[in-house]
Amino acid sequence: MELDLAGAELRSVLNRLRRAQGQISGVIRMIEEGRDCEEVITQLAAASRALDRAGFAVIATGLQRCLADSGSGDGSGEDREQMRARLEKLFLSLA
């Protein structure tokens, strides 16, 4: 399964990943500075949410494409089942 995101979808995912990257850099800096544990955990949680949202956006796009492909009658039932199983595995890996 290739990662094939359209313009707006791609920008959204990249923005989320850049946000997470900045938050992780901030967490590293906070730890190096000896900042309060609660502040560090709050930033880690924010970075985790940003990564989760990026992953879910990628999976949602895959699901949309999979449903569109299955609605057009392309591919066998086994192909659809394999795609469903792979998307389910990906989704659960983020849960």
Side-chain angles (χ1 to χ4, degrees), residues 1-11 13 57-66 69 83 87:
M1 176 178 2
E2 288 184 28
L3 181 59
D4 183 26
L5 299 176
E9 296 164 336
L10 180 63
R11 280 193 305 277
V13 169
V58 170
I59 290 171
T61 300
L63 286 171
Q64 287 175 329
R65 295 224 166 91
C66 179
D69 289 348
M83 176 66 77
L87 288 169

Side-chain angles (χ1 to χ4, degrees), residues 2-67:
E2 288 184 28
L3 181 59
D4 183 26
L5 299 176
E9 296 164 336
L10 180 63
R11 280 193 305 277
S12 174
V13 169
L14 290 175
N15 285 340
R16 290 181 193 280
L17 291 173
R18 286 186 184 107
R19 186 175 309 125
Q21 183 179 34
Q23 290 166 328
I24 291 169
S25 294
V27 168
I28 291 169
R29 194 170 40 256
M30 291 170 76
I31 291 171
E32 290 172 344
E33 294 170 356
R35 300 274 294 270
D36 180 64
C37 180
E38 189 173 338
E39 292 176 24
V40 172
I41 297 300
T42 299
Q43 285 304 309
L44 277 174
S48 178
R49 282 190 304 273
L51 289 171
D52 287 345
R53 287 179 172 259
F56 286 132
V58 170
I59 290 171
T61 300
L63 286 171
Q64 287 175 329
R65 295 224 166 91
C66 179
L67 290 173

Side-chain angles (χ1 to χ4, degrees), residues 68-81:
D69 289 348
S70 69
S72 66
D74 295 341
S76 69
E78 186 173 334
D79 290 340
R80 284 191 296 254
E81 183 60 26

